[in-house]
Amino acid sequence: MTLDRINSAYEYLHRTTEQRPTLCVVLGSGLGDYADTLEGAQVIDYRDIPGFPQSTTPGHAGRLVLGKKHGVSLACMQGRFHCYEGYTPAETVIPLRALIRLGIKRLLITNAAGGINESFQPGDIMIITDHINFASLNPLAGPNLDEFGPRFPDMSFAYDKELVAALKEAAREHGIDVKMGVYAMMKGPSFETPAEIRALRVLGADAVGMSSVPEIIAAAHAGVKSAALSCITNMAAGILNQPLTHEEVMETGRVAAGRIRTLIDGFIERIAE
Ligand code: HPA
């Protein structure tokens, strides 16, 4: 049962570290090395944490890095679990919910996404202002976990205004150009068709990806304030006359990684009390 798994993960973390992080940073593919800059870093492999989903890809188990930045106690997730890997939506948020039990109050998510808005370019960074859950996957389906939040949580303020403002200000301070827009989640793992991308554009999406929405929903459920950034790694299907590849996504991610690290750091500096 999900609750038992969340609790065993929480209990393990509670006895394995004295750190009590208040901010969780989810580092998307190619962005994991931000965690190397934490002070007093303590690294825990996901595979050592009972209750965590276990990665099926050898060598990609994922790691939790706990430490401090600008006086803020952080839990950085290097690697996340996706529904397209076969995990249920509820399983993908076990790590986040274990960290919420440990005391997380805020969440910063990063991901890779395809650009739907034609004014975007690969390498752009988009601050997510809202999302559309086209995957229709919801981690709250099933019995409600009352200890986390209500049966029917409000999603009107899922992307916290103050945290979004902190990201914008950090971007301005460091001279990093950022776009703002709506993120559409598709289940994947196949990329979208050109017709799907045209439909998503008409429906108000600026970027498309295969992650993050379950975490944002689980955070909103528990009253955890969230903000999220997409690295626009490619133009979505059909916009350019070329096929999409995972290699392109990874390569553009590497190009933008430095700016995203600076942005994460500026954000943490701003929200530090
Ligand atoms: N579609 C879905 N997910 C993605 C894309 C895309 O074009 N690029 C990076 N993640």
Side-chain angles (χ1 to χ4, degrees), residues 3 56 71 137 217 244 247:
L3 185 58
T56 45
L137 297 164
I217 294 173
L244 306 189
E247 286 63 42

Side-chain angles (χ1 to χ4, degrees), residues 111-116 183-184 186 188-192 197 207-211 231-237 244-246 249:
N111 61 39
I116 294 179
Y183 176 89
M186 297 288 271
S190 50
F191 287 115
E192 300 70 36
I197 294 303
V208 58
M210 305 174 193
S211 70
C231 173
I232 305 298
T233 51
N234 57 283
M235 292 315 287
L244 306 189
T245 65
H246 182 59
V249 169

Side-chain angles (χ1 to χ4, degrees), residues 82 84 111-117 132-137 182-201 203 205-211 213 231-240 242-246 248-249:
H82 303 87
Y84 65 69
N111 61 39
I116 294 179
N117 185 320
I132 311 178
N133 186 0
F134 283 114
S136 293
L137 297 164
V182 172
Y183 176 89
M185 181 187 175
M186 297 288 271
K187 183 174 177 186
S190 50
F191 287 115
E192 300 70 36
T193 63
E196 284 167 342
I197 294 303
R198 287 193 299 275
L200 296 187
R201 180 182 300 120
L203 294 171
D206 296 290
V208 58
M210 305 174 193
S211 70
V213 166
C231 173
I232 305 298
T233 51
N234 57 283
M235 292 315 287
I239 297 180
L240 306 176
Q242 62 187 47
L244 306 189
T245 65
H246 182 59
E248 177 190 9
V249 169

